[in-house]
């Protein structure tokens, strides 16, 4: 209980300086997520008998056992520590301890070789990254405006996971006097925890992408009409090259022209057109004015005028 209270106390400045953390359920979850990780990182750091007891890596096993018994309330050490100390007689095991950590070397009963310890440590690290991918998915869920950042977050986790595998497998461990040995496993776990705390917060506090405005239905209709007008230009060329279609089209246009002349020559039609202000004579200046107005509307809307490619 005290450790949880201490973690909450350490996280309180974060909650104070980031007030948006309390403005949505997602940010509340991120706050709890950060507090839990901070609690585990500060109160329960990666176990290491050498750093905990301030011992060099070359310390004899009997000395380590004596110090552990001195700090233990029990007369005997737990089984996993006895197994660890029995393996510490080997120099190679101490390098594996630096590379893969305390839990892997102390708890794996069947591990004997480098490959055994490597495969034994893989599932726990992989599950940690899988859980964090789920957190990134929650932060970038549909509707948050941060869907485009999901690939960035998952890609960053994948890159860090690849780097962790690289350093764990190929880092050079030098043990001269046993002191000042870089504990690769502990540092990688601490860096991983810090990344899991910071990365979701960075993604959540980046400005969301503004939702794209839905196109007006008339725009779809106009685009479809313009496509048909462009296609009509090519249809006419194809029709004119085919004799049967050319004759049929000429006959149809002749009938349309004759009907148009009949309609325009009707006095009643002319009277109605004059009454509503519609031009019908070929030299009427209003025809040119209306055509120019239509072209200006197309240009203002960013659409090609009829007859343009």
């Amino acid at each position: 209980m005290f450790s949880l209270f201490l973690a909450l106390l350490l996280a309180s400045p974060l909650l104070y300086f980031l007030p948006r953390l309390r403005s949505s359920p997602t940010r509340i979850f991120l706050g709890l997520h950060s507090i839990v990780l901070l609690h585990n990182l500060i109160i329960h750091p990666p176990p290491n008998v050498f750093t905990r007891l301030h011992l060099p890596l070359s310390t004899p096993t009997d000395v380590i056992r004596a110090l552990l018994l001195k700090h233990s309330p029990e007369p005997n050490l737990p089984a996993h520590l006895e197994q660890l100390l029995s393996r510490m007689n080997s120099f190679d095991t101490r390098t594996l301890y630096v590379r893969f950590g305390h839990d892997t070397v102390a708890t794996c009963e069947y591990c004997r070789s480098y490959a055994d310890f490597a495969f034994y440590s893989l599932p726990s690290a992989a599950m940690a990254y899988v859980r964090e991918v789920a957190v990134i998915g929650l932060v970038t869920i549909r509707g948050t405006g941060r869907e485009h950042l999901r690939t960035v977050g998952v890609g960053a986790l994948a890159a860090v996971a690849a780097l962790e595998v690289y350093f764990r497998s190929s880092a050079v461990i030098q043990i001269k006097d046993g002191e000042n040995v870089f504990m690769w496993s502990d540092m990688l776990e601490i860096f991983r925890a810090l990344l899991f705390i910071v990365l979701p917060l960075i993604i959540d506090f980046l400005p969301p992408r503004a939702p794209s405005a839905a196109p007006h239905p008339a725009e779809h209709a106009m685009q479809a009409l313009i496509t048909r007008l462009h296609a009509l230009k090519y249809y006419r060329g194809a029709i004119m090259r085919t004799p049967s279609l050319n004759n049929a089209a000429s006959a149809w246009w002749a009938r349309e022209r004759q009907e148009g002349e009949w309609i325009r020559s009707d006095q009643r039609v002319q009277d109605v057109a004059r009454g509503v202000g519609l031009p019908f004579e070929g030299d009427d200046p209003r025809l040119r004015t209306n055509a120019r107005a239509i072209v200006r509307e197309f240009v203002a809307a960013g659409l090609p005028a009829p007859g343009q490619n």
Side-chain angles (χ1 to χ4, degrees):
M1 182 61 69
F2 174 75
S3 61
L4 180 59
F5 172 77
L6 181 59
L8 289 171
L9 183 63
L10 292 173
S12 59
L14 179 67
L15 299 178
Y16 176 78
F17 288 108
L18 301 179
R20 291 197 304 167
L21 198 62
R22 303 187 296 270
S23 61
S24 70
T26 301
R27 294 192 175 110
I28 293 175
F29 169 78
L30 284 180
L32 296 175
H33 173 264
S34 301
I35 290 173
V36 171
L37 291 181
L38 280 173
H39 172 269
N40 294 335
L41 182 61
I42 297 172
I43 310 303
H44 301 290
N48 191 307
V49 295
F50 297 100
T51 57
R52 189 69 58 86
L53 299 175
H54 305 286
L55 298 175
L57 193 62
S58 58
T59 303
T61 305
D62 294 337
V63 177
I64 299 175
R65 178 180 284 104
L67 290 175
L68 289 175
L69 288 172
K70 180 180 178 181
H71 293 86
S72 175
E74 301 295 332
N76 297 317
L77 294 177
H80 70 280
L81 287 180
E82 288 291 350
Q83 176 176 263
L84 174 66
L85 293 175
S86 65
R87 290 175 170 176
M88 284 297 178
N89 293 322
S90 170
F91 173 80
D92 293 337
T93 303
R94 299 200 178 205
T95 61
L96 293 174
Y97 188 89
V98 174
R99 192 181 301 276
F100 297 113
H102 174 89
D103 291 336
T104 299
V105 179
T107 59
C108 182
E109 298 181 355
Y110 67 86
C111 294
R112 294 294 181 270
S113 63
Y114 172 92
D116 293 338
F117 287 104
F119 283 111
Y120 184 83
S121 64
L122 181 62
S124 60
M127 284 303 301
Y129 282 100
V130 169
R131 287 194 300 268
E132 197 62 20
V133 167
V135 174
I136 297 298
L138 178 63
V139 176
T140 59
I141 196 171
R142 180 178 298 178
T144 59
R146 298 174 178 84
E147 296 86 347
H148 62 289
L149 297 175
R150 183 179 307 158
T151 304
V152 177
V154 175
L157 290 176
V160 173
L163 288 175
E164 181 174 346
V165 172
Y166 171 78
F167 283 116
R168 284 185 183 273
S169 60
S170 61
V172 178
I173 301 174
Q174 296 180 351
I175 304 176
K176 296 181 180 179
D177 55 358
E179 298 180 357
N180 301 323
V181 177
F182 189 83
M183 296 294 178
W184 281 99
S185 179
D186 299 348
M187 294 299 104
L188 289 173
E189 290 186 20
I190 292 173
F191 177 78
R192 184 203 306 163
L194 293 175
L195 175 69
F196 289 176
I197 294 173
V198 173
L199 183 60
L201 293 176
I202 292 176
I203 292 177
D204 185 70
F205 283 90
L206 286 176
R209 175 180 293 177
S212 58
H216 195 276
E219 183 177 348
H220 291 291
M222 290 298 296
Q223 291 291 350
L225 178 59
I226 292 172
T227 302
R228 293 177 181 177
L229 290 175
H230 289 327
L232 181 60
K233 177 176 60 177
Y234 299 105
Y235 292 159
R236 291 182 61 186
I239 290 172
M240 292 298 104
R241 288 194 296 268
T242 305
S244 59
L245 295 178
N246 189 1
N247 296 333
S250 299
W252 185 85
W253 284 112
R255 289 195 303 269
E256 291 294 316
R257 186 181 304 107
Q258 184 63 45
E259 292 176 0
E261 291 176 357
W262 290 341
I263 293 173
R264 287 190 297 272
S265 62
D266 190 288
Q267 188 63 39
R268 290 174 298 180
V269 174
Q270 295 178 9
D271 294 338
V272 172
R274 292 190 184 96
V276 297
L278 292 177
F280 60 89
E281 289 90 354
D283 56 350
D284 196 318
R286 290 177 295 178
L287 288 173
R288 183 177 299 175
T289 302
N290 292 343
R292 288 176 177 175
I294 292 173
V295 172
R296 282 196 296 269
E297 291 179 0
F298 274 96
V299 173
L303 301 174
Q308 293 183 350
N309 292 328

